Each structure stands twice: as structure tokens, then as C-alpha cells.
Amino acid sequence: MRAGRWLIGVMVLGWLAACAGGPATPTWSADELRVLHSLSLDALKPLSPDPSNVVADNPTAAALGERIYFDTRFSGNGAVSCASCHMPERHFTDGRAFGVGMGTIPLNAMSLVGAAYSPWQTWNGKNDSQWSQALIPLENPLEHGGNRTLYAHLLAEHYRAEYEALFDPLPDLADSSRFPRNAGPVDSPAASAAWERMAPADRDAANRVFANLGKVLAAYERTIVPQPARFDRYVASLDADGRPQGEAVLSADEVAGLRIFMGKGQCMNCHNGPRFTNDAFHNTAIPGAPDVPIQRGRIDGVVRVQADPFNCLGAYSDADPDECTALRFMVTESDTLLGGMKTPTLRNVAETGPYMHTGQFATLAEVIQHYNSGGFAIQGHNELTPLALTDEEAAQLEAFLHTLTEEE
Amino acid sequence: MRRYSLLLGVLLLLVAAIGGCGGAATPAMQMSSNAPADTDFGTTRASDGGLFQVTYTPALEPIAINELHQWTLHVETPEGAPVDDAVIAVSGGMPEHNHGMPTEPQVTEALGNGDYRVEGMQFQMGGWWTITFVIDAAGQQDSVTFNLKL
Ligand SMILES: [Cu+2]
């Protein structure tokens, strides 16, 4: 009897020691563990090839693309480069609500980290490749503000050898009656009139050089891939039973926020996979930004990408039509296209504000407040439902988002 | 001695009930997928009007979200005779979310023996999905809807 009581006492003590003494580490179920691993960078597959761009995975092309990416000579005023709005030190964003080049474009510059994985580029997906996307800011008077023959001349003057090592020789640009310094289908009466006067074959030659410029830039962009964050280290620290091993990588609040992200917050409906995006278009009832046009989203992107002469099916693409799967299976009619924007990556999101397609929200707290309220669609069909997060839960969710920043 | 083992048993039960250490009453993940309990997630189904017996086989096993992939659809009569020369339309969506697929899949090839290649299949989130095939064959039309849990 006595021995029995003793034994029980020892057992209770042992249990207390194991439970109270051990860290109050949360455990994850097998299902949850599977989901956690699906979010980890370890789940990121190698980039699939881009059949529309023969130099997509050519390191020489990427090296040339990198130099041009930072080269402000490739603009109408000699002062704008891709890095003006996509700064490497800001995870390839610019910290502003609107992009500022030669003018101000009323759209928020997107992070380029991992963007090469996406079948659609820009908020409304008006491009089906990064090389065709790059051509848009180059010609937009508010961004680089240049034109097709200007870029051909600049390539000839600064990168002829590098260019011709990759592609057919540049056309003979010396004859300025055939290739004026400034000509292209752009928003400048002089340059567009000069473009109209060019022979069709010369326009085609200029188009090809222009496309190749996009292709080297895209080859560089494909090297901008996400780097591990604290969150990835946390997932790596979980044992097979979903229990963190070693020193705690995430705080209790961050783990609680992660749990909300995966569950009550429904964030993973759209921000899923290792880049925290499904690359699909969703209407999340984002309010319009003051004094700028309302963006209609995917409904316009569909029309734009179909009409784009530089799309995967166009004359300057290197792909077989069969390989243009994004366009072949594109949703062209649906009541979910109006107001649909591409889900952005959440990697590094704590450092890429302001947020949303026109920088509507300055802080992550405002973003979470929007999701919590469920929003009110100014157009189309709102896909959100109110979340009923407490203030504490909202703060925990925000804390979790901070764990997605790359560590160095 | 008997009392002792009884106490021990009670204690063990107690520990088991509390769920061991950590005591983390982990709430089940709410992946917002509440298909009705009697939902049939089978990959072979009879069409609504009973004209066809239809089976799908994904080329991607298990189906992963955000990956473009193909399915093979097999269509036969209830008696097991393959149905060739059918014209088939595909559509899908999430009943709980009121949205469709991120792609517009198509039947791109009749492979013979009642088999058809379905290209452009893709899902953008986990949860309960339905995929409907409308099948036109020999002047008759019928449709079949599969339920998927991703
Ligand atoms: Cu859904």
C-alpha cells in the first residue's frame, strides 16, 4: 500500500516534470505538417522552361540582361532603369504606392522575387511571359519612355558584341531614313509617325530586336528566386511528429499567426505553395485609390494578352503553338474576371509595402483589417467573407507575415 | 495490491485523457471544405441520366494544386461498351466559393477504346471541387459530375 502511494507520487511528479518543464511547444497534425511543408521553400520546384524564349536559361543572356536591367541609358531621358521601380535592396519593389519613372504610373510596382514562376505577369496578367512583359515599361511614356528603334540603336552602341553573340546580327542601323533614332508605336506623335513611315520589313526587324531585348531581361529575371526565411527554418526544425526541435525559431505568437493563416484566416485559399501565391486572379474587394482610374483587373488583362503581338503565339515567340498552354487554356469568360487581380507573393511582404495594386494600404495591419472586415466590392463579385479575428489574432497573423522575410 | 493497480489504471486513464504533454488542444485545420457527408468522391460514376459510366484518371497522382496537368476520361455504356466519337465539354469549380477553375480545360483528343485526353486541368486551392463533363454521343446528351477533395 505504502509502496503503491509512493509509486503514484513519483509518476505524478514525473508527468508534471515532463509536461510543465518541457516547452509549451505546439504540435502539428500530420495533415497540417503536410501543408506546412507545401509552403516551405523546399517545396519550390526548379523553374519550368519557357519555350517562348530560346535564351531563357542561357547564362550569357542572363548576364547581359542584368547589365541592361540596371542601365539607365535604356530610357527616354537617360535616367530610368528597371531598378528604378524594382530595387534589389527592396526585394525588387520601390517602397512607393505608384511607380515613378519618366512620369508616375498609377500602379504599385510588384516584387520580382520568384515572379518568373508565374504563367501570367502584372496585376491583371496582361502578359504571358516575362519577356513580353518587359517591353511594356520600356515603351510606356510614364516608365522608361523609349521606343523600338531607340532601343535597337542603344544595343548597337553599347552591347553589340554581347547581343550578336546570342542572336542574329543587328540590322544596319546607320541609315537613319530606314531606322530613325526614335520610332515605335508609342504615345508620341513624332515617334509613331516615324514608325508608320518605316518599311514593313524594317519594322519587323526592329520588333525582333525589341523582343530579344525582352528575352535577355527575362533571362536575368529568372535568376531572381526566393531565398530562405525564418519560416522555412521553422518548418525544417519540425520533426516527423510536428514538434519543433532545438532552439525555438518562431515565437508563440508567430506560430499562432501561422495557425490562423492556415485556418481561420483562409489565407491559403489564394496564398498557397512555397511562393505563397496560386498565381490566379481573385476579386478581394480592394477599395479604389483616390484620384486614379479604377482598375478592372483580369477582364482587361484577358483582352490585352490575346491582342499582344509579343505573346506566346505571336511571330516573335520561339514556342510551338501547342506549348502556349497558358493562352490555350485561358479563362476568357467568367463572372469572376471583373476586379480580379493576380495574387501577389507574400515572401518578404513585411518589407514590400505599400500594398495592393494601387498601394491602397500602407501597412500590414490595414491589410489584415481589410480581410477581417470582408470588404465591399466596388465592382464584380467579392470572394472574401468576414473573418471575425480578435485584435490579438490579427496581431498574431501580422507577426507571422514578418517571418517570411529572407534571412541573410 | 488491487487498490494500487486500480489507482494506477485511473492515473493512466487521466494522463491519456489529457493527451500527454504539451496539452496543445490543436484545433483541426479549417480548410473550409464542408462537402455534404454523403458526397461521393469516387473516380467512376454513372452519368446523371444513366446513359454512361465514366471514369477519370489524372496524370498527376496525387493531384497537386497550381499544376497544369492532364486527365484521361473513359466513357462506356452501362453494359461496358466503350463510347467513341463523343463530344465532351469540361467545367469545374468550388461549390463553397462560387468560383471556377483557373484554366479552361478541353478534351483535345479521342484516344480510342472510349478514352479521351483532357488537357488544361488545374486547381488553384485546396478544398472541395466539382468537375462536370457534358457528354454528347450518338445523338444523346448526358452529364456527370465528379467530386474531388484536394
Ligand atoms: Cu475556392
Side-chain angles (χ1 to χ4, degrees):
Chain A
M1 202 54 232
R2 241 231 195 104
R5 266 198 207 131
W6 258 103
L7 214 85
I8 288 163
V10 167
M11 280 185 62
V12 167
L13 270 176
W15 180 75
L16 277 176
C19 297
T25 47
T27 52
W28 299 97
S29 70
D31 268 354
E32 290 166 336
L33 201 56
R34 193 179 44 79
V35 170
L36 284 167
H37 280 286
S38 79
L39 291 170
S40 154
L41 260 197
D42 291 340
L44 189 67
K45 298 194 172 142
L47 266 174
S48 28
D50 176 359
S52 73
N53 179 0
V54 275
V55 299
D57 294 309
N58 179 326
T60 315
L64 175 57
E66 179 168 10
R67 288 169 70 190
I68 298 175
Y69 180 96
F70 293 97
D71 192 336
T72 53
R73 291 174 299 198
F74 280 68
S75 61
N77 63 358
V80 178
S81 75
C82 307
S84 302
C85 303
H86 304 285
M87 309 171 183
E89 66 276 17
R90 290 181 177 270
H91 309 285
F92 296 87
T93 62
D94 58 4
R96 297 185 283 243
F98 297 154
V100 179
M102 281 182 60
T104 299
I105 172 172
L107 280 165
N108 186 250
M110 308 169 81
S111 171
L112 303 189
V113 175
Y117 280 87
S118 182
W120 304 111
Q121 300 292 317
T122 81
W123 289 107
N124 67 9
K126 60 180 164 288
N127 296 104
D128 63 347
S129 68
Q130 286 199 312
W131 66 267
S132 62
Q133 189 285 326
L135 308 180
I136 307 275
L138 286 170
E139 282 190 319
N140 185 336
L142 301 173
E143 299 181 79
H144 294 246
N147 53 67
R148 293 179 196 181
T149 57
L150 174 68
Y151 294 123
H153 282 284
L154 289 167
L155 281 168
E157 288 155 19
H158 305 298
Y159 299 105
R160 177 185 290 277
E162 292 87 339
Y163 178 93
E164 293 186 345
L166 291 161
F167 305 107
D168 287 343
L170 287 162
D172 179 14
L173 300 163
D175 184 348
S176 66
S177 66
R178 278 179 63 200
F179 293 100
R181 181 104 193 144
N182 288 293
V186 291
D187 196 7
S188 142
S192 61
W195 179 253
E196 288 307 321
R197 283 195 301 272
M198 281 173 66
D202 290 343
R203 284 205 293 252
D204 178 59
N207 283 343
R208 189 157 299 278
V209 174
F210 192 44
N212 289 341
L213 172 58
K215 288 177 185 177
V216 298
L217 285 164
Y220 165 59
E221 290 177 87
R222 285 168 69 85
T223 67
I224 307 169
V225 290
Q227 300 303 318
R230 203 146 54 83
F231 165 74
D232 303 295
R233 236 182 342 119
Y234 173 75
V235 176
S237 80
L238 298 173
D239 68 10
D241 297 325
R243 200 173 277 278
Q245 301 299 302
E247 217 170 293
V249 182
L250 296 191
S251 72
D253 274 342
E254 288 164 343
V255 173
L258 169 57
R259 204 175 279 287
I260 294 162
F261 188 88
M262 291 163 64
K264 186 174 177 183
Q266 297 168 30
C267 311
M268 279 194 61
N269 283 350
C270 305
H271 298 282
N272 52 37
R275 291 183 302 116
F276 288 79
T277 169
N278 58 7
D279 296 315
F281 300 92
H282 295 281
N283 183 331
T284 52
I286 304 300
D291 306 325
V292 298
I294 301 261
Q295 292 290 328
R296 299 188 340 130
R298 186 56 178 160
I299 201 164
D300 290 341
V302 165
V303 175
R304 288 281 299 272
V305 72
Q306 282 177 320
D308 183 1
F310 296 102
N311 72 20
C312 182
L313 293 166
Y316 307 100
S317 160
D318 303 313
D320 288 338
D322 259 12
E323 296 174 303
C324 299
T325 48
L327 281 179
R328 277 176 67 206
F329 304 114
M330 176 169 71
V331 177
T332 52
E333 261 174 64
S334 158
D335 53 7
T336 57
L337 300 180
L338 179 59
M341 297 291 170
K342 189 173 86 167
T343 310
T345 181
L346 296 185
R347 290 217 167 249
N348 307 306
V349 72
E351 298 186 351
T352 62
Y355 303 106
M356 308 303 175
H357 64 274
T358 37
Q360 284 94 332
F361 299 132
T363 63
L364 286 176
E366 284 171 62
V367 171
I368 291 167
Q369 163 59 32
H370 171 76
Y371 282 114
N372 205 14
S373 75
F376 179 80
I378 52 170
Q379 57 185 348
H381 153 77
N382 179 6
E383 294 182 39
L384 302 182
T385 44
L387 300 175
L389 301 179
T390 65
D391 288 351
E392 189 192 12
E393 287 172 326
Q396 289 169 331
L397 182 55
E398 184 181 345
F400 162 67
L401 293 178
H402 282 260
T403 71
L404 299 175
T405 304
E406 291 174 3
E407 297 186 295
E408 225 104 17
Chain B
M1 211 52 219
R2 198 189 271 140
R3 280 252 310 277
Y4 158 59
S5 26
L6 193 78
L7 269 169
L8 190 74
V10 165
L11 194 82
L12 281 175
L13 269 175
L14 204 80
V15 170
I18 291 172
C21 305
T26 314
M29 197 172 35
Q30 304 171 10
M31 287 301 281
S32 61
S33 102
N34 303 302
D38 58 348
T39 303
D40 178 352
F41 289 102
T43 58
T44 297
R45 300 204 75 180
S47 58
D48 299 343
L51 288 184
F52 310 112
Q53 178 87 352
V54 189
T55 303
Y56 76 85
T57 314
L60 187 67
E61 194 67 75
I63 295 173
I65 57 169
N66 303 340
E67 280 199 44
L68 192 70
H69 64 283
Q70 302 187 359
W71 283 14
T72 303
L73 197 72
H74 178 75
V75 185
E76 56 184 39
T77 63
E79 294 74 37
V83 175
D84 289 313
D85 304 315
V87 175
I88 304 174
V90 195
S91 62
M94 297 186 80
E96 294 165 294
H97 295 171
N98 204 3
H99 65 71
M101 302 173 74
T103 49
E104 216 166 83
Q106 291 158 24
V107 172
T108 53
E109 202 183 343
L111 302 167
N113 198 29
D115 286 347
Y116 298 84
R117 186 195 312 285
V118 188
E119 281 190 84
M121 295 298 295
Q122 191 167 328
F123 304 97
Q124 72 270 42
M125 64 183 79
W128 172 33
W129 283 87
T130 59
I131 304 294
T132 300
F133 294 93
V134 179
I135 303 168
D136 267 291
Q140 288 185 298
Q141 188 185 79
D142 204 356
S143 68
V144 59
T145 297
F146 294 100
N147 295 288
L148 280 81
K149 174 86 188 65
L150 298 184

